[in-house]
Amino acid sequence: MKSFTQEARVSSTGEGPFQWVIGAFYSDIDRDYSQDLPVIGFTALSGIPTAGAAAPTDHLYFSTVPYKQKQFAIFGEGTFSVTERLDVTAGLRYADYKETRFLTFDGIFAAPTINVPGKTKADNIAPRVIVAYEATDDVTLNAQVSKGFRLGGINDPLNAPLCTPADLASFTALSTPGFKNETVWNYEAGMKARFAGGAGSMTLAGFYADIENLQATIDAGSCSSRIIANVPSARSIGFDAEFAYRLTDNFDMAVAASYNDAELTSSLLDAGGQPIQGLRDGNRLPTVPKFQASLSLGYERPLDNGAEVFSNLTLQHVGKRYTQVSDQENNPRTVPLFPNVGGQTATSLIFPLELPSYEVVNLRIGVRGDGWEGAIFVNNLGDERAKL
């Protein structure tokens, strides 16, 4: 892969009530990508021909997908101080994206596709507005509305010879012609405060994210392929909170917690009207725990020689979550076992697919001086066997 990127910015000097920045971004990527499955002697032993227009003999699957991606963006943002305590920020980013591929797929596991061009292009506008109000010298209130996007793209062709007729019909409709931009509107509001003469600080923020055309990766059943398809809508709602306090000249503590209820608000249906691989309205988004928290205790003490000893103990809690959206279907899952193997009598294995919550403790102790630091540490002090 070869990648070239360049960004240029021009900004104001920092004087006066209005501050601004404008700029441009350019990216050019060339990538050669291929997959190959050689099984030497396969044709001679099986009598099945494997050579094609592109695939050599004994190569059951052969593909090359060189592609070029180009992206150009311009952006600008300005902050106006309405009063000494009220700032309003507004920004806008426009991006234009193009991708060109030349698809070659061959071998007995692929539908022959020889040097067929594939193209996609997209553009999007991402605005944001931020309002910050300094209610007192120690309390600042803020609110933000912003839009983000993830660019769409092209799916590789299905391995059609492996597909059942039903899977070929369903997944061809989903994978062609490609997947759309994923967009999100984010709304948040919060506050930052200092108290006890600066010894303590607190931050609170609530957010709501409205997602459109969520890009979901799908295993295309019998086709032995993966495709990306768009789920019409999803949302995420929650809060973040942080609290820090210096207990004494030597001890300090910090607590952080977050809650995130992220779920699909629509379904992606197959030809029979059933949700595909758990992409059902109300199912949680993958890998996102609803609750996370951490507690940190710090200690520092100066030495007579000018150095300082320090230590930090951190406890982190990660809540329950799912690896894939489909893990929420038929959970716990039951898998049949081959009978009478090694004298076993069980005919099935039953296991839960929700990953349990876990806690990890980390410890760090060290000495620091002017321009240097040395420390020893133990990560996962309690030897927690977390299921990831």
Side-chain angles (χ1 to χ4, degrees), residues 243-248 250-256 294-300 310-316 360-365:
F243 173 84
Y245 191 76
R246 177 162 289 278
L247 301 170
T248 69
N250 303 115
F251 287 95
D252 62 76
M253 65 168 292
V255 180
S294 65
L295 169 65
S296 177
L297 297 174
Y299 173 79
E300 57 186 21
F310 68 91
S311 65
N312 185 264
L313 182 71
T314 303
L315 168 65
Q316 181 182 16
V360 171
V361 179
N362 299 325
L363 176 64
R364 186 178 184 89
I365 302 173

Side-chain angles (χ1 to χ4, degrees), residues 104-120:
T104 294
F105 296 88
D106 203 2
I108 64 172
F109 291 160
T113 305
I114 310 301
N115 206 32
V116 174
K119 297 181 179 180
T120 185

